[in-house]
Amino acid sequence: MKKALAALALGAAAVLTLAGCTDSAAPTSTSTATEDAGGGELRTVRVAALPIAETGALWAAIDEGIFAEHGLELEVVPAQGGAQAIPALLSGDIDFAIGQPMGPIRADLQDLGVVIFSNYASSNATGEDVNAVVALGDAGIAGPADLAGKRVSVNSLGAAGDLTIRKAVDDAGGDSSTIEFIEVAFPDVKAQLEAGNIDAGWVPDPFRGQVVSGGGVSVVSPYQATIPGLTVLTNFTTQEKIDSDPELVADYAAAMAEALDFAAQNEDAVRAAIAKNLEIPEEAAAGIVLPTFTADLGDAGIEDLAGLAVEYSYIDAEPDFDRLIQPLP
């Protein structure tokens, strides 16, 4: 089914819907080609993604023409989290989403037919990780145990962020049940810290770097502290989409795999795309810690995350992994 590129008004409405009605910065990026290399018509697909550094791989691949080579024209619609994108997937407003796996895990438990078909990016098992809980330098928060009793922001409540933070705090001897988690979009965390509305915030780059470079502290990298190498973002769609349009799904999966390979081998292109689409200085983009871009779901840690979610009563049971995770070549 061919779709025309959405008008500006429709695009703006979609941004508000997918971003949870926040007013945070959320750039929309689209490819500009209308014909593929062979002169054929491109199929327009709408993809929900977070306005964070990791999405640089997607933007860079669009600029490189990788999706156009597979006959696709992408409209990237900003979302605040993977869970927020699921209603748009189910309604057909978008075709694919890039987000945390907790949304799809919950969707499977509700038998909503959401399928993770590839990884997108994994956190770094060692060294500096791609996200962290940060606090202002004078907040008196030096380590994860200090987060007990504090107000801590995450971009999406009940997802991998607060779940892994809780585990890291408990492992450090704190009581994570006393944390008040507050939903704040990543671009707004620095301002909320400075306003005193939160004590700490979980953020990826470039927002982590903005806080730390201004005298803040990196308190803990919760993914690395709990499930080293845990996937940061996955690619998912619906079973209905896979069944009704297998050619489109196969083309998108192949293009995405090529895009992630390109990103892994061309960090400069990814950083340039980050600077362009997030409108930050190139020198700031140069200092961003990038994840491991990969389509491989083999070591994504989704099963471990689901087990942790059961342990902390985020979900009542583990999902049907054979139904939820269907790797595409």
Side-chain angles (χ1 to χ4, degrees):
M1 180 178 64
K2 297 180 180 178
K3 296 182 180 179
L5 193 61
L8 286 176
L10 179 60
V15 168
L16 289 175
T17 300
L18 293 175
C21 297
T22 69
D23 60 356
S24 59
T28 298
S29 175
T30 62
S31 60
T32 57
T34 56
E35 293 185 347
D36 63 23
E41 184 178 353
L42 297 177
R43 297 188 66 181
T44 300
V45 295
R46 304 189 80 217
V47 182
L50 283 72
I52 58 177
E54 282 85 347
T55 307
L58 185 65
W59 294 322
I62 291 172
D63 291 342
E64 186 68 13
I66 290 173
F67 288 94
E69 290 172 0
H70 288 264
L72 304 174
E73 180 179 16
L74 262 58
E75 179 183 355
V76 183
V77 183
Q80 185 168 320
Q84 287 85 348
I86 288 175
L89 269 179
L90 296 176
S91 68
D93 289 338
I94 58 173
D95 302 291
F96 304 98
I98 301 170
Q100 290 185 37
M102 275 302 297
I105 286 172
R106 283 198 172 91
D108 182 82
L109 292 172
Q110 299 174 60
D111 197 19
L112 295 179
V114 174
V115 175
I116 296 173
F117 61 87
S118 88
N119 200 355
Y120 177 91
S122 291
S123 57
N124 299 320
T126 60
E128 195 170 10
D129 207 359
V130 295
N131 59 53
V133 176
V134 296
L136 299 182
D138 59 359
I141 301 174
D146 297 328
L147 295 173
K150 300 298 194 296
R151 299 162 300 170
V152 181
S153 74
V154 291
N155 69 311
S156 183
L157 292 172
D162 49 295
L163 177 57
T164 56
I165 291 168
R166 289 199 62 185
K167 176 63 172 172
V169 168
D170 289 338
D171 286 350
D175 182 358
S176 72
S177 68
T178 65
I179 298 174
E180 179 185 358
F181 287 103
I182 300 171
E183 190 168 293
V184 176
F186 289 140
D188 300 331
V189 168
K190 183 174 182 288
Q192 292 299 308
L193 284 170
E194 293 171 344
N197 295 327
I198 55 175
D199 302 301
W202 177 65
V203 284
D205 276 333
F207 313 109
R208 176 188 58 173
Q210 291 171 358
V211 174
V212 174
S213 65
V217 296
S218 181
V219 180
V220 63
S221 296
Y223 282 16
Q224 198 173 85
T226 58
I227 308 174
L230 175 65
T231 179
V232 178
L233 299 168
T234 58
N235 283 286
F236 51 94
T237 188
T238 62
Q239 186 67 56
E240 191 279 332
K241 177 68 69 175
I242 293 173
D243 293 340
S244 66
D245 204 341
E247 182 180 355
L248 174 64
V249 176
D251 288 345
Y252 180 81
M256 179 59 71
E258 185 176 336
L260 296 172
D261 284 343
F262 171 81
Q265 299 171 29
N266 294 273
E267 287 192 2
D268 288 346
V270 174
R271 294 182 189 282
I274 292 169
K276 170 186 172 184
N277 287 275
L278 293 182
E279 298 181 350
I280 63 174
E282 291 183 2
E283 55 270 24
I288 287 174
V289 177
L290 294 177
T292 301
F293 292 113
T294 176
D296 185 7
L297 284 165
D299 297 316
I302 297 173
E303 293 88 346
D304 294 333
L305 182 67
L308 193 61
V310 172
E311 177 185 340
Y312 277 81
S313 300
Y314 277 45
I315 54 178
D316 295 328
E318 293 188 2
D320 182 337
F321 291 115
D322 290 335
R323 180 175 63 181
L324 172 65
I325 304 174
Q326 299 181 35
L328 293 176

